[in-house]
Amino acid sequence: MNSVAFYLLLLLISVATPPITTATTIGVTYSTPPSISTSAALSPDRIASQVVSMKIPAVRLLDSSPSMIRAFAYTNVSVFLSVPNPLVPLLASNRSLAMRWCYRHVLPFYPRTKITIISVGNDVVSYSPDVSPFLLRAMQNVHLSLADLRIYKISVSTTFSFFNVVPTAFPPSSAQFQEPTGEVIIRPILQFLERTNSSFLINLFPYNMYRSSFSIPIGFALFEEGPFNFRDDLTTGVRYRNLFDMMVDAVISSMAVMGHENLPVIVAETGWPSSGIDAGEVDATLLYSEMFLKALLAHLRSGGGTPLRKEGVAEVYVFELVEKEAKQGIRNWGLLHHNMTSKYSFEFSDGGGGKGGRFMEVLVGFFVEVVMLCLLM
């Protein structure tokens, strides 16, 4: 009987040990509202508690205030920091200022706060084109400052916007970075990311791509199965079932043209607005927003990746945790209203593995009982 129990134990181990996967980390972005006139300001501790209660494993802090960084100490939530665009030229021109920024935003909190990545600037090419030439030097100075502080596990990168660096998304196999930005700005940054084992960061919104092209069906943008909800890349023979994967692969192809196809990709912002700037944005609705988010989370958790990147993107950050106070002229993207109540009927967390996870728990429990009975006989 002991031999039977031994073999059953081996079987149990083989069943209970999960396969090695590269599951995408799914986080959210948060930026402090400039002011909220109808309610009290949200404290950093309340924001951190909300993220933990929603079982969100990662957060991107667009403001990176020290009080907010401190609030995530001992939470095990991965924190993605951002350096504001106006600081980029200063950090590039003065190494001591880069060190000072690290002293203020990293050293007092790390590793109690699980800081994993720093983005030097956000979509600088679009919002501050005159700052773009300073990006690489600023990134280098922040990286060297971290090394001087003997901090080696925080990667340094910068964030680009898909629409401003990838002019043509289809077919993905033919995509290239916009010139001259690609050759002058992006290529040396890709080389830096390769040397420092960092990731390429991209803001990627299927909603914007859908609005820019009448030929894209709404179902293709919302991950819906349907007879017309696909696009074929005739060069590679790949069929795309959703717009998100198509855009990710366009980024990967653009990196491949420059010889860096294996760099990890992090989607620093994505989402679907629940309301638009004006009445013309008829597809910016709560219904479509919920459909997109539910389908996106399910797609990322499936582990299927994209046609050109089987392991998928490393991390995806949903824009955003809390929407700004409702007013005319802005899009609303938040998972939560500004009073911290939920906008949607679904849960952001997967509840611990879904049906497959619960089935595995039952199966493992059954094998444990069988093994114990065999050992007692």
Side-chain angles (χ1 to χ4, degrees), residues 59-332:
V59 64
R60 180 188 182 202
L61 300 179
L62 292 170
D63 303 325
S64 298
S65 70
S67 59
M68 189 64 71
I69 300 170
R70 182 184 297 108
F72 283 95
Y74 304 109
T75 62
N76 205 37
V77 174
S78 296
V79 176
F80 173 155
L81 302 183
S82 302
V83 174
N85 291 350
L87 287 184
V88 171
L90 298 176
L91 300 188
S93 60
N94 193 325
R95 170 81 179 279
S96 64
L97 289 179
M99 177 65 80
R100 191 179 304 174
W101 190 91
C102 292
Y103 262 108
R104 177 172 167 77
H105 295 86
V106 179
L107 190 63
F109 316 110
Y110 182 83
R112 295 181 298 280
T113 297
K114 192 178 173 184
I115 302 168
T116 57
I117 189 166
I118 297 171
S119 174
V120 179
N122 178 38
D123 193 14
V124 168
V125 171
S126 172
Y127 289 107
S128 309
D130 54 324
V131 173
S132 297
F134 299 98
L135 266 176
L136 180 58
R137 174 58 63 185
M139 293 165 61
Q140 290 170 335
N141 283 345
V142 171
H143 175 74
L144 291 171
S145 297
L146 291 173
D148 288 344
L149 296 173
R150 299 185 181 277
I151 297 174
Y152 305 108
K153 293 185 179 181
I154 298 176
S155 61
V156 177
S157 187
T158 188
T159 305
F160 294 98
S161 175
F162 183 92
F163 264 82
N164 295 317
V165 297
V166 183
T168 305
F170 189 82
S173 59
S174 301
Q176 297 187 43
F177 289 122
Q178 177 79 53
E179 295 299 348
T181 301
E183 196 64 37
V184 177
I185 304 297
I186 298 180
R187 182 184 288 278
I189 286 177
L190 291 174
Q191 294 168 349
F192 169 84
L193 298 178
E194 193 85 62
R195 288 195 308 271
T196 58
N197 295 316
S198 299
S199 302
F200 186 79
L201 312 180
I202 190 83
N203 295 336
L204 186 152
F205 289 93
Y207 173 76
N208 293 338
M209 177 65 70
Y210 163 72
R211 290 192 70 229
S212 70
S213 175
F214 292 109
S215 66
I216 298 176
I218 184 70
F220 186 60
L222 296 176
F223 296 86
E224 287 189 313
E225 293 289 339
F228 304 107
N229 294 337
F230 66 87
R231 288 290 183 271
D232 290 330
D233 188 329
L234 299 180
T235 303
T236 59
V238 167
R239 172 162 291 185
Y240 286 90
R241 298 288 184 179
N242 64 78
L243 185 53
F244 180 86
D245 284 354
M246 193 179 85
M247 294 172 74
V248 169
D249 278 1
V251 173
I252 292 168
S253 291
S254 299
M255 294 194 304
V257 169
M258 294 189 166
H260 298 278
E261 64 272 15
N262 294 320
L263 274 177
V265 173
I266 291 176
V267 177
E269 291 179 13
T270 193
W272 193 283
S274 58
S275 65
I277 294 174
D278 52 47
E281 292 192 62
V282 295
D283 297 307
T285 67
L286 186 64
L287 173 63
Y288 284 161
S289 178
E290 181 165 349
M291 289 173 63
F292 175 83
L293 291 173
K294 286 176 69 175
L296 172 69
L297 298 180
H299 177 63
L300 295 174
R301 287 174 180 141
S302 72
T306 72
L308 296 186
R309 182 68 63 86
K310 295 303 180 185
E311 67 274 22
V313 292
E315 302 171 26
V316 172
Y317 291 83
V318 174
F319 184 84
E320 57 187 330
L321 178 65
V322 183
E323 69 182 27
K324 307 301 183 288
E325 188 174 9
K327 61 181 180 180
Q328 289 294 109
I330 65 168
R331 294 189 181 109
N332 290 315

